[in-house]
C-alpha cells in the first residue's frame, strides 16, 4: 500500500487530494500507467507527464525512480511559490 | 534556522526589527517582501496551496544551502498559504551576513529556489473566473546562475 497525494490542478482533475493505492508498480512511471488505466479523470490528469512533477517521501524525484520502500508519492504541477 | 509556513498574516516591520540581532559580526541585513500583485485589475483573491511537511523540509534545505554557501549569520523565511487579497504580503526572506554582497546574493538565491523548488501553487480568483498560475521558464532558468 502506498499513499498517493495530488495537488493543485492535478487534485482538481482527479477529484481528491489523497488516496491509498494497492500497487505492485516498480517505478513512478509504472504507477502512472496503472492510474491512467483506471478512469478518464486519471488519464486527463496524467495526459502530459512533462507538465508534472513527482515527489517520493517528500523529496523531488524522476518518473523513472523506483518505488521500493516508498510510502508516499505526490503528483503536482511545477511549483509557483515566492 | 527559522522557517515558518503559516496561514496567518505576518508583520514585515516587526520581523525585520527582530532579525539578525544575535552577535556583532553582522554588518549587512537584506529583507525582501513578496506581495499579491493584481495585473488585470480584476483579481478578487489568491489561493495558495502547499504540501504540508514537504514545504517545511524543502525550505529548510534551501535555507541551509544558502547559509552554507554565503556563511550567513542569520536567515529567515516566512511563507503564507490559504486565501490572500491583492496587496497582502505572501512571503518574506531575510538574510544577515558580514557584508552586503553575501546578504543580497543569498536573498536572491533563496527567492529563486523558493519560486520553483518549494511546493506551493498559486491560484488566481478573478471576477471572471479562476486559473492556476503557470510556472514560467525564466524562473526555472534562474536556478542555473547558482
Amino acid at each position: 500500500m502506498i499513499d498517493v497525494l495530488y495537488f493543485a490542478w492535478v487534485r482538481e482533475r482527479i477529484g481528491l487530494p489523497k488516496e491509498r493505492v494497492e500497487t505492485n508498480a516498480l517505478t513512478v512511471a509504472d504507477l502512472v500507467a496503472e492510474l491512467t488505466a483506471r478512469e478518464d479523470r486519471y488519464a486527463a490528469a496524467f495526459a502530459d507527464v512533462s507538465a508534472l512533477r513527482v515527489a517520493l517521501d517528500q523529496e523531488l524525484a524522476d518518473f523513472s525512480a523506483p518505488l521500493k520502500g516508498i510510502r508516499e508519492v505526490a503528483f503536482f504541477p511545477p511549483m509557483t511559490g515566492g | 534556522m527559522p522557517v515558518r509556513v503559516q496561514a496567518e498574516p505576518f508583520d514585515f516591520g516587526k520581523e525585520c526589527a527582530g532579525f539578525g540581532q544575535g552577535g556583532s559580526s553582522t554588518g549587512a541585513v537584506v529583507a525582501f517582501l513578496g506581495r499579491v500583485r493584481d495585473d488585470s485589475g480584476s483579481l478578487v483573491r489568491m489561493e495558495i496551496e502547499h504540501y504540508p511537511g514537504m514545504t517545511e523540509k524543502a525550505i529548510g534545505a534551501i535555507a541551509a544551502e544558502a547559509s552554507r554557501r554565503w556563511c550567513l549569520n542569520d536567515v529567515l523565511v516566512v511563507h503564507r498559504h490559504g486565501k490572500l487579497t491583492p496587496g497582502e504580503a505572501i512571503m518574506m526572506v531575510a538574510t544577515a551576513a558580514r557584508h552586503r554582497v553575501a546578504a543580497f546574493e543569498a536573498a536572491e538565491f533563496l527567492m529563486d529556489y523558493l519560486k520553483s523548488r518549494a511546493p506551493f501553487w498559486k491560484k488566481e480568483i478573478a471576477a471572471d473566473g479562476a486559473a492556476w498560475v503557470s510556472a514560467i521558464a525564466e524562473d526555472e532558468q534562474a536556478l542555473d546562475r547558482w
Side-chain angles (χ1 to χ4, degrees), chain B residues 42-53:
Chain B
S42 65
L43 187 70
V44 175
R45 66 174 186 275
M46 177 173 273
E47 293 181 1
I48 301 178
E49 184 171 334
H50 79 117
Y51 183 171

Side-chain angles (χ1 to χ4, degrees), chain A residues 6 9-11 13-14 40-49 52:
Chain A
Y6 310 107
W9 58 255
V10 182
R11 171 180 55 73
R13 276 186 207 178
I14 291 173
D40 285 351
R41 56 197 171 106
Y42 290 93
F46 291 111
D48 177 13
V49 290
L52 295 181

Side-chain angles (χ1 to χ4, degrees), chain B residues 12-61:
Chain B
F12 184 60
K14 211 177 264 180
E15 299 289 349
C16 290
F19 178 77
Q21 301 288 2
S24 54
S25 67
T26 292
V29 169
V30 164
F32 170 88
L33 176 69
R35 284 184 171 165
V36 178
R37 188 180 64 237
D38 180 10
D39 285 335
S40 64
S42 65
L43 187 70
V44 175
R45 66 174 186 275
M46 177 173 273
E47 293 181 1
I48 301 178
E49 184 171 334
H50 79 117
Y51 183 171
M54 179 174 171
T55 312
E56 292 80 358
K57 276 202 254 179
I59 299 176

